[in-house]
Amino acid sequence: QSVLTQPPSASGTPGQRVTISCSGSSSSIGSNTVNWYQQLPGTAPKLLIYGNNQRASGVPDRFSGSKSGTSASLAISGLQSEDEADYYCAAWDDSLNGRYVFGTGTKVTVL
Amino acid sequence: EVRLLESGGGLVQPGGSLRLSCAASGFDFSYYAMNWVRQAPGKGLEWVSAIGTYSTNTYYADSVKGRFTISRDNSKNTLYLQMSSLGAEDAAVYYCAKAPSGSFEPIDPWGQGTLVTVSS
């Protein structure tokens, strides 16, 4: 029941910039802050960006987040091989008594 | 260091019940809201449920409402998820995850997860 829409895949060569979009609604992204999670293969997800654009502890500054209206985006500049992972946006949704919703997820491949 | 250790997963028949536990350490458990998030094999993340510090507020995804119950025992630093009427759609790795003080999100960190398999 994802209500945040992401592209299924994105790719780039080492050093390139990759951007992932996340589209929501007025009750989710439009009313609340956006978080981004990174899931490396075979591991539990970890928080990457919180509060729309704040990097979590230890996250390199090549990761950045932004939000505008009911959409958000994650940018990875200077793409590195270790960035190959699944990325999920998420936000609280004020509809239906409140719930936390994840995006559909984007697989980033480093070519 | 914050540690979250899930347990209780396993094989259950359709229509059956299971209780998951999450043992927390490295922080004052009673001061933080907690979440359960699941991930079906090869699929994306799905938030399941959240509970406030003294169980005053609970939230559920529509997909589990009425079948799952989240609870916590602050004296034991443990989070629970009681699951009933399980179906194939509930098969997933279930993650326990901590929220910051005063909020239910962002979710960080996460445990390593426990696998629930629903099959006859």
Side-chain angles (χ1 to χ4, degrees), chain A:
Chain A
Q1 52 177 348
S2 295
V3 293
L4 303 182
T5 303
Q6 301 177 234
S9 63
S11 63
T13 57
Q16 277 191 328
R17 176 184 173 91
V18 169
T19 302
I20 302 169
S21 62
C22 173
S23 178
S25 67
S26 57
S27 62
S28 59
I29 295 177
S31 301
N32 298 288
T33 57
V34 177
N35 309 307
W36 290 89
Y37 299 88
Q38 178 193 58
Q39 187 174 31
L40 296 168
T43 68
K46 78 164 193 175
L47 180 65
L48 199 64
I49 299 286
Y50 66 95
N52 301 327
N53 54 20
Q54 303 299 302
R55 281 185 296 277
S57 177
V59 173
D61 59 7
R62 64 177 184 276
F63 291 93
S64 62
S66 64
K67 172 186 145 178
S68 178
T70 59
S71 295
S73 63
L74 174 71
I76 310 173
S77 59
L79 191 66
Q80 299 186 8
S81 58
E82 59 261 38
D83 299 333
E84 187 159 293
D86 293 322
Y87 293 84
Y88 297 89
C89 59
W92 191 261
D93 188 306
D94 295 330
S95 64
L96 300 175
N97 299 315
R99 54 181 178 164
Y100 194 54
V101 290
F102 286 97
T104 48
T106 299
K107 169 68 177 179
V108 169
T109 302
V110 182
L111 302 171

